[in-house]
């Protein structure tokens, strides 16, 4: 899970943010290792807690006032990643839900902003928010985890090869730009991200519809160097006592059953070979549904 997070974050920082900085386009500010001018914070109204992505909220408001961000890639700082799948899932829910909710709250302000060009408004609304924060998680899950599996049950539905092969291959290669040595991990990255798309889709819909849990804040749990020794000592006991409550996801396991049924139907009666992918995706849902990803264990 650590290697998979590295692939996604490297693309986010070194491709999305560095390219945005070099072209003076908008890119989202990150709370980790970020530096602000006090005058910029004051001019745009300061930090606001109306969403769970207050750093992105501040960045959008500053961008609409004409402030530009600079990404300095040669300065390196230490940062800790979520070490359990549950912690990572909470982190991604907060980021996805908060961004979708911020889009709902700020779409009108972006359209009416006078300090920025029309091109920048289109970029922020369409590319930064609508495509990446709303469409991407919904379409990823709906297409690769529902439409493709169901297409084997309904033979009248024909999915073009570019949708099944070419687009995923292109996305995979783009994310591997910064990690050529991790190319062999990319198949696991695809399966992992498809499972995560279920949780991101749910979070995006909660943010857009602004349901009661839209501002739910669960702090991302991280081990820290000082806790590793303690975790090694108690790893066996903790996994036994809290296995079901902390690690098992019945939603993912239930969806794995659905994928298994579709793949088996494809093997028995289908005319294509989609079952290879569907079985692998079902296995990924099972593994992550039982929490066997990112769990800290001893070396003995």
């Amino acid at each position: 899970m650590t290697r998979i997070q590295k692939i996604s974050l490297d693309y986010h920082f070194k491709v999305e943010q560095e390219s945005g900085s070099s072209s003076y386009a908008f890119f989202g500010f990150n709370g980790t290792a970020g530096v602000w001018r006090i005058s910029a914070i004051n001019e745009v109204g300061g930090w606001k807690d109306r969403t769970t992505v207050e750093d992105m909220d501040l960045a959008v408001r500053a961008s609409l006032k004409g402030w530009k961000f600079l990404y300095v890639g040669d300065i390196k700082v230490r940062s800790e990643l979520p070490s359990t799948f549950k912690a990572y899932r909470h982190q991604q829910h907060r980021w996805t839900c908060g961004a979708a909710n911020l889009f709902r709250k700020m779409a009108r302000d972006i359209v009416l902003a006078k300090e920025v060009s029309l091109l920048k408004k289109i970029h922020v609304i369409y590319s930064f928010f609508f495509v990446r924060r709303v469409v991407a998680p919904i379409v990823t899950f709906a297409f690769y985890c529902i439409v493709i599996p169901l297409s084997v049950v309904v033979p009248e539905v024909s999915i073009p090869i570019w949708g099944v092969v070419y687009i995923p291959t292109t996305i995979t290669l783009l994310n591997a730009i910064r990690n050529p040595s991790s190319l062999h991990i990319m198949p696991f990255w695809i399966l992992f991200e498809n499972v995560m798309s279920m949780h991101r889709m749910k979070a995006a819909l909660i943010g857009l519809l602004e349901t009661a849990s839209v501002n739910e804040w669960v702090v991302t749990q991280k081990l820290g160097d000082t806790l590793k020794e303690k975790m090694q000592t108690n790893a066996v006991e903790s996994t036994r006592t809290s296995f079901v409550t902390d690690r098992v996801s019945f939603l993912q396991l239930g969806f794995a059953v659905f994928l298994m049924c579709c793949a088996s139907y494809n093997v028995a009666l289908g005319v294509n070979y989609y079952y290879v992918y569907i079985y692998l995706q079902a296995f990924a849902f099972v593994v992550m549904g039982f929490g066997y990803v990112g769990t800290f264990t001893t070396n003995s």
Side-chain angles (χ1 to χ4, degrees):
M1 192 178 78
T2 302
R3 299 284 294 276
I4 289 173
Q5 289 184 73
K6 179 181 182 298
I7 292 172
S8 299
L9 287 175
D10 277 358
Y11 179 81
H12 171 62
F13 286 117
K14 299 299 291 182
V15 178
E16 294 179 335
Q17 294 204 332
E18 191 160 329
S19 63
S21 174
S22 61
S23 61
Y24 298 103
F26 173 77
F27 63 93
F29 171 80
N30 297 96
T32 303
V35 179
W36 274 92
R37 289 186 180 273
I38 296 178
S39 55
I41 297 177
N42 293 334
E43 181 181 343
V44 301
W47 293 88
K48 295 183 180 181
D49 59 355
R50 57 180 176 174
T51 67
T52 57
V53 287
E54 72 286 349
D55 49 356
M56 183 185 294
D57 186 353
L58 180 62
V60 174
R61 286 184 280 120
S63 178
L64 296 180
K65 287 291 184 179
W67 288 90
K68 293 181 174 61
F69 306 135
L70 177 65
Y71 179 87
V72 185
D74 56 349
I75 298 178
K76 303 190 184 306
V77 297
R78 298 187 64 182
S79 181
E80 186 178 2
L81 298 174
S83 55
T84 65
F85 179 61
K86 181 180 179 181
Y88 181 73
R89 195 172 68 234
H90 283 310
Q91 179 198 66
Q92 295 300 302
H93 175 89
R94 186 176 75 246
W95 290 356
T96 307
C97 177
N101 189 236
L102 182 63
F103 176 51
R104 173 190 173 111
K105 293 180 182 298
M106 290 207 65
R108 184 174 180 273
D109 295 337
I110 296 171
V111 173
L112 298 178
K114 299 179 179 179
E115 289 85 352
V116 294
S117 65
L118 177 62
L119 183 61
K120 190 168 188 177
K121 293 179 184 180
I122 294 174
H123 170 72
V124 175
I125 290 179
Y126 179 75
S127 178
F128 182 78
F129 274 117
F130 183 68
V131 173
R132 292 170 54 194
R133 267 71 190 182
V134 179
V135 173
I138 295 176
V139 171
T140 299
F141 178 72
F143 184 72
Y144 293 106
C145 295
I146 296 180
V147 174
I148 292 179
L150 283 180
S151 68
V152 305
V153 183
V154 186
E156 292 80 9
V157 176
S158 177
I159 302 177
I161 190 67
W162 56 264
V164 181
V165 178
Y166 297 155
I167 291 181
T169 301
T170 303
I171 294 174
T172 301
L173 293 176
L174 287 174
N175 280 273
I177 289 175
R178 284 292 305 170
N179 295 273
S181 62
S182 299
L183 190 61
H184 62 289
I185 302 178
M186 296 309 294
F188 300 99
W189 176 82
I190 294 172
L191 298 175
F192 182 89
E193 286 296 303
N194 284 346
V195 176
M196 280 303 304
S197 67
M198 169 188 284
H199 303 286
R200 293 192 181 107
M201 181 191 71
K202 176 183 175 184
L205 292 176
I206 290 174
L208 281 177
L209 301 177
E210 207 167 40
T211 63
S213 59
V214 65
N215 289 320
E216 181 182 16
W217 182 284
V218 179
V219 177
T220 304
Q221 185 180 19
K222 300 177 182 178
L223 290 179
D225 293 334
T226 58
L227 296 178
K228 287 183 179 178
E229 184 177 350
K230 181 180 178 181
M231 288 295 295
Q232 287 178 335
T233 304
N234 300 330
V236 177
E237 291 185 17
S238 61
T239 52
R240 287 176 180 172
T241 55
S242 59
F243 181 85
V244 175
T245 57
D246 288 344
R247 290 175 57 180
V248 175
S249 171
F250 293 102
L251 178 62
Q252 290 174 196
L253 294 177
F255 201 80
V257 173
F258 161 73
L259 293 176
M260 287 285 189
C261 293
C262 292
S264 300
Y265 183 92
N266 189 222
V267 171
L269 303 173
V271 295
N272 51 45
Y273 298 95
Y274 288 173
Y275 64 85
V276 176
Y277 157 74
I278 300 174
Y279 270 134
L280 288 173
Q281 191 63 68
F283 180 72
F285 271 94
V286 171
V287 171
M288 297 170 70
F290 279 117
Y292 288 116
V293 174
T295 304
F296 189 87
T297 57
T298 60
N299 294 325
S300 59

